[in-house]
């Protein structure tokens, strides 16, 4: 199958990126190799979307720093970019809404590239309203994640089942395995994932890399070297700004995580 007949794909990774590590970047490369090896896809872009401060996760430093570290980490990439829309929202935004937003942006860009007449141009708001109806003949947005996110789908009140159904069923998901994880077992256990299993691409990382942002933060606050775990310019940034101390790790320690607060609150159904 030639390049023009392959489906164009944009990979979207959402998360804390607290801080971004080489493994986060490696996920994009693994996903692109896997998808393009099938002969059906041409990956044209990767998007890193750090979560906003409203997520209220323990130890989550300010979005401005996480966004800048992500930008620094991708400055030498010709296809992975960083998007600040989610990170700059005043309140936490559900991941399904983030995916919808980026799919709307993708369709808008595609229409612009096609030089559609302005009279017939579909405005962004209309695209957002209909973005759940994915175009079979157009570009595809795939949600990129690690096996830990797949595991989190099973945590009570962390995700709405209809959001999982939308993300996986309407758009699709690429899951990068990690040591000790079994994505296929997780898919088998979940009715929602099993129903949408044909939309899930499981990518096996045979050169295992267990870099963890949690362990990186631990090393930083203990004054240990994190070189080669993150790009050098990101390491330098953490040092210049004195990021990840014992104090910062206690941020939001007494606050309920935003999804739990929203879905367990009095207004939730």
């Amino acid at each position: 199958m030639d390049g023009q007949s392959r489906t164009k794909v944009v990979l979207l990774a959402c998360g804390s990126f607290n801080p971004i590590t080489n493994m986060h970047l490696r996920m994009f490369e693994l996903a692109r190799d896997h998808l393009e090896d099938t002969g059906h896809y041409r990956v044209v872009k990767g998007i890193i979307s750090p979560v906003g401060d409203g997520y209220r996760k323990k130890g989550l430093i300010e979005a401005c720093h996480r966004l800048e570290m992500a930008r620094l980490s991708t400055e030498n990439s010709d296809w992975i970019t960083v998007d600040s829309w989610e990170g700059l929202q005043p309140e936490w935004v559900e991941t399904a809404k983030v995916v919808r937003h980026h799919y709307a942006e993708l369709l808008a860009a595609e229409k612009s590239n096609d030089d559609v007449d302005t009279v017939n141009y579909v405005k962004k708001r209309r695209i957002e309203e209909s973005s759940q109806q994915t175009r079979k003949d157009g570009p595809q947005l795939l949600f990129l994640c690690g096996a830990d996110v797949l595991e989190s789908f099973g945590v009570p009140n962390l995700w709405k089942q209809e959001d999982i159904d939308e993300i996986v069923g309407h758009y699709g998901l690429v899951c990068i395995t990690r040591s000790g994880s079994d994505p296929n077992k997780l898919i088998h256990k979940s009715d929602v994932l099993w129903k949408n299993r044909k939309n899930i691409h499981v990518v096996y990382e045979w050169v295992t890399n267990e870099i963890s942002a949690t362990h990186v933060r631990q090393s930083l606050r203990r004054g240990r070297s994190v070189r080669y775990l993150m790009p050098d310019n990101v390491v330098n940034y953490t040092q210049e700004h004195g990021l990840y101390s014992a104090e910062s790790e206690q941020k939001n320690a007494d606050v309920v995580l935003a999804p739990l607060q929203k879905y367990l609150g009095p207004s939730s159904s």
Side-chain angles (χ1 to χ4, degrees), residues 46-268:
I47 303 172
I48 295 172
S49 178
V51 74
D53 295 338
Y55 189 55
R56 299 178 179 177
K57 186 176 182 179
K58 181 178 179 293
L60 187 68
I61 66 168
E62 292 80 1
C64 60
H65 289 305
R66 292 181 287 110
L67 281 164
E68 184 57 27
M69 287 188 287
R71 291 190 187 103
L72 289 170
S73 73
T74 57
E75 64 181 8
N76 293 323
S77 175
D78 60 358
W79 70 284
I80 305 173
T81 63
V82 179
D83 190 273
S84 63
W85 181 82
E86 179 186 5
L88 297 181
Q89 296 301 307
E91 302 293 334
W92 170 66
V93 182
E94 292 162 309
T95 303
K97 292 180 180 178
V98 178
V99 176
R100 280 180 227 146
H101 166 81
H102 284 286
Y103 187 68
E105 293 285 318
L106 177 59
L107 290 187
E110 192 74 8
K111 286 182 178 293
S112 178
N113 290 339
D114 291 340
D115 293 323
V116 177
D117 187 87
T118 54
V119 176
N120 298 321
Y121 183 78
V122 181
K123 293 182 179 180
K124 180 181 174 182
R125 182 174 296 177
R126 286 186 58 194
I127 296 173
E128 287 179 337
E129 291 173 351
S130 62
S131 64
Q132 293 187 38
Q133 306 267 329
T134 54
R135 285 172 44 185
K136 297 300 182 183
D137 60 337
Q140 189 171 354
L141 182 73
L142 293 178
F143 184 67
L144 174 63
C145 68
D148 56 328
V149 174
L150 212 61
E151 292 171 1
S152 77
F153 286 165
V155 177
N157 301 305
L158 191 58
W159 294 81
K160 290 193 295 187
Q161 291 301 298
E162 56 265 37
D163 283 358
I164 299 173
D165 195 21
E166 179 183 345
I167 292 170
V168 185
H170 283 289
Y171 301 101
L173 181 146
V174 182
C175 176
I176 310 297
T177 64
R178 64 177 183 178
S179 179
S181 68
D182 187 351
N184 289 310
K185 183 177 181 180
L186 296 170
I187 294 168
H188 183 76
K189 287 175 63 177
S190 165
D191 287 342
V192 174
L193 295 179
W194 178 257
K195 181 181 73 172
N196 298 301
R197 62 191 182 281
K198 292 183 179 179
N199 280 355
I200 301 175
H201 304 267
V202 176
V203 182
Y204 291 93
E205 166 59 303
W206 300 112
V207 182
T208 56
N209 187 333
E210 295 303 306
I211 297 175
S212 159
T214 301
H215 293 150
V216 169
R217 292 198 307 274
Q218 184 183 73
S219 295
L220 284 168
R221 69 175 180 265
R222 293 178 179 179
R224 300 296 185 181
S225 172
V226 291
R227 196 173 186 190
Y228 308 122
L229 300 179
M230 302 186 294
D232 285 346
N233 52 5
V234 177
V235 175
N236 294 337
Y237 185 91
T238 64
Q239 294 171 344
E240 291 168 6
H241 294 271
L243 303 180
Y244 300 113
S245 62
E247 290 74 23
S248 71
E249 192 63 22
Q250 293 307 309
K251 185 177 180 180
N252 296 322
D254 299 322
V255 180
V256 178
L257 197 67
L260 298 178
Q261 188 176 61
K262 181 170 185 175
Y263 301 148
L264 289 173
S267 61
S268 63

